[in-house]
Amino acid sequence: QSALTQPASVSGSPGQSITISCTGTSSDVGAYNHVSWYQHYPGKAPKLMIFEVTNRPSGVPDRFSGSKSGNTASLTISGLRAEDEAAYYCTSYTTSGTWVFGGGAMLTVL
Amino acid sequence: QVQLVESGGGVVQPGRSLRLSCAASGYTFSTYGMHWVRQPPGKGLEWVALISDDGRKKYYADSVRGRFTISRDDSKNTVYLQMNSLRPEDRAVYYCARDSRKWALDYWGQGTLVTVSS
C-alpha cells in the first residue's frame, strides 16, 4: 500500500490556473474511476472536492475540476483565489478493497 | 445536517490500548459505511480502516492490520476503532469519515489526537 505520488507543493497567482497530479499504479488509480480529492486547512476537517475522478459535490465551485489518464489523476483549480490556499489530497480505491491517499500537495497562492 | 464527532483520544504508553469513538447524527447511520483516517503530526493523511454499512466487511491498512479493529453499533449511531499494541508511530489526529457510496469520503469529523509516549 504505497502512497500515491503528489508534488509536495504547488503555487500560482490569483486568477491563474494550477494542476496537481496524483500518480498511482494499475492497482489503484489506473484500475477504477474511484479517485477523489480533498481540501484540507490546518486544524479543520478535510472537505471533499471531487469524486469519481470528475464529479463535484454540491456547493463546490466549478473552478475545481478533475481528470485522469492511465495511472495519473489530476486536479485543476482555475481562477485561483486566496482562499484556495490549503493542502490537497487525492485518494483512490484499490484492487485489494482498501484505500490509499496521496502524500498531499500544499497550494500557495502568491 | 450530517455531523461526526470523534472522542477517546489521549496520551497512552507504547504497547497499551485505546478505543476511539465517532458519534454520527443527521442521517440514517446504518445505511452508510464508515472510515477512519489519520494524520501524523506534520505529515499527510493515511487511510486506516473501513467498515461496511452492515458491519460484515472490514478492511484495514497494512500498517494497522492485526492491531486495530473497526466496529459499529447502529443502535448508538457510533463507529469505533479499537487500537491495541500502540506504537509511537501511531501518534496522529484520527478522523472518522462517512463513505459516500460514490467512492469517496463525503463528511468528516474534526478529529481526535492520539499520542503514544512513555
Side-chain angles (χ1 to χ4, degrees):
Chain A
Q1 290 178 342
S2 298
L4 306 177
T5 300
Q6 297 182 240
S9 62
V10 295
S11 62
S13 299
Q16 289 186 332
S17 294
I18 62 95
T19 297
I20 301 172
S21 61
C22 171
T23 300
T25 70
S26 57
S27 296
D28 39 64
V29 174
Y32 313 105
N33 286 329
H34 298 336
V35 176
S36 50
W37 290 88
Y38 303 83
Q39 179 187 64
H40 192 200
Y41 296 108
K44 301 293 186 180
K47 177 184 177 182
L48 175 64
M49 304 302 285
I50 297 286
F51 65 96
E52 292 180 319
V53 177
T54 61
N55 296 293
R56 281 187 310 277
S58 174
V60 173
D62 60 5
R63 302 185 296 106
F64 292 82
S65 62
S67 63
K68 194 188 87 166
S69 177
N71 295 337
T72 298
S74 298
L75 173 70
T76 298
I77 308 173
S78 58
L80 269 179
R81 304 176 67 164
E83 59 261 38
D84 297 333
E85 186 163 295
Y88 290 86
Y89 294 89
C90 60
T91 190
S92 176
Y93 180 70
T94 80
T95 55
S96 302
T98 60
W99 295 69
V100 60
F101 275 89
M106 185 64 217
L107 169 61
T108 300
V109 180
L110 303 171
Chain B
Q1 70 283 18
V2 174
Q3 280 196 315
L4 301 173
V5 179
E6 302 94 339
S7 61
V11 180
V12 61
Q13 293 179 328
R16 304 298 291 266
S17 300
L18 202 62
R19 189 179 80 159
L20 305 182
S21 301
C22 169
S25 60
Y27 70 100
T28 305
F29 179 73
S30 61
T31 62
Y32 287 84
M34 295 294 294
H35 298 259
W36 284 98
V37 176
R38 67 184 181 182
Q39 183 177 33
K43 297 188 177 181
L45 299 175
E46 179 189 10
W47 179 81
V48 173
L50 165 66
I51 187 168
S52 61
D53 53 359
D54 62 5
R56 295 182 180 181
K57 299 177 184 176
K58 302 176 183 181
Y59 302 90
Y60 299 94
D62 289 345
S63 58
V64 306
R65 187 176 293 114
R67 299 187 300 123
F68 290 12
T69 301
I70 190 170
S71 62
R72 63 189 297 155
D73 184 340
D74 289 352
S75 69
K76 296 182 179 179
N77 287 355
T78 299
V79 62
Y80 302 99
L81 187 67
Q82 177 68 43
M83 304 185 295
N84 298 334
S85 302
L86 281 162
R87 305 167 179 169
E89 56 264 36
D90 295 319
R91 180 188 180 199
V93 173
Y94 284 75
Y95 298 96
C96 65
R98 190 179 81 167
D99 187 282
S100 69
R101 295 189 280 185
K102 294 184 178 180
W103 309 105
L105 289 66
D106 60 353
Y107 289 93
W108 297 62
Q110 292 292 323
T112 186
L113 176 62
V114 173
T115 300
V116 184
S117 173
S118 54

